[in-house]
Amino acid sequence: MNGRHGRHGRRRAALPALVGVAALGALLSGCGIRATEVPTDYGPAPSRVRCSLGEPEGAGQGERGLPVQVFLLCGSSLVAVDRAVRVADGATDARRVLVAQGLMDELTREPTTSEREAGYTTRVRPGTTVTGPRAGDPEDTLRLSTPPVELSATALAQIVCTFSDSAAAEGDGSVILGGPDDATPRRYRCTDDVRARPAAGKPPSTEATGS
């Protein structure tokens, strides 16, 4: 008799605990959280938000050169980052080429540590150089050591968008680019689509003629 009452008592004592567990499970499910008895470990939180940079590495970049922005690839889009280039004083035409070469040097060098951690890369090959127009070229022509048609869509988009947002561009923001060959230079534009999807195709261009 005592044994049977003891078993009933233990079952009655266990009921509130079971009800409590069920209620807790229902509450968590209602909040969109699944109840689990297995510990979860999602690892450490990301140290940096993708494509988000803090202060540029090295304070006072403006003191080391002309503050500029270059377009790097992050994810599938082009994003502007702050850099600085040294440009010697000189005639306007020569200065344009110097600015363009300084920008090219920034595009071809390895991204900084913070830029790499944030997911930035570049598709412009090291060693690419820039010269001014030849006889018969439009006066604002910039000739690259690699023909633009031989560059990848992303690399050309980086160059066009970087130049178009600088002193290397024409007044309307377009950029006239040629190569080391005799091909007629073309006038390129950096559009919203180019910045958003640089790998989708070469930047829009038209043939540039006239000196």
Side-chain angles (χ1 to χ4, degrees), residues 5 27 37 46 66 71 84 86 93 103 119 137 150 169 173 198 211:
H5 285 313
L27 178 61
E37 296 179 359
L66 177 70
F71 281 84
R86 287 188 175 276
D93 290 344
L103 292 169
D137 286 346
E150 295 182 10
S211 56

Side-chain angles (χ1 to χ4, degrees), residues 4-48:
R4 186 171 59 207
H5 285 313
R7 286 194 297 273
H8 289 324
R10 284 194 296 273
R11 283 199 293 269
R12 283 196 298 272
L15 284 175
L18 293 173
V19 171
V21 170
L24 177 60
L27 178 61
L28 292 175
S29 298
C31 295
I33 304 173
R34 294 185 60 186
T36 178
E37 296 179 359
V38 181
T40 57
D41 182 7
Y42 296 103
S47 59
R48 185 181 296 278

Side-chain angles (χ1 to χ4, degrees), residues 16 55 75 86 93 108 115 118 137 167 169 175:
E55 292 296 322
R86 287 188 175 276
D93 290 344
T108 58
E115 289 166 354
D137 286 346
V175 182

Side-chain angles (χ1 to χ4, degrees), residues 6 28 37 44 56 61 64 69 85-86 144 175-176 190 207:
L28 292 175
E37 296 179 359
Q61 281 199 10
R64 296 187 289 108
Q69 287 190 321
V85 298
R86 287 188 175 276
L144 310 181
V175 182
I176 300 178
C190 177
E207 191 173 275

Side-chain angles (χ1 to χ4, degrees), residues 95-105 130 142 163 166-168:
R95 187 176 174 83
R96 285 186 66 254
V97 176
L98 291 173
V99 169
Q101 184 61 63
L103 292 169
M104 184 67 74
D105 292 342
V130 185
L142 296 170
F163 284 3
S166 74

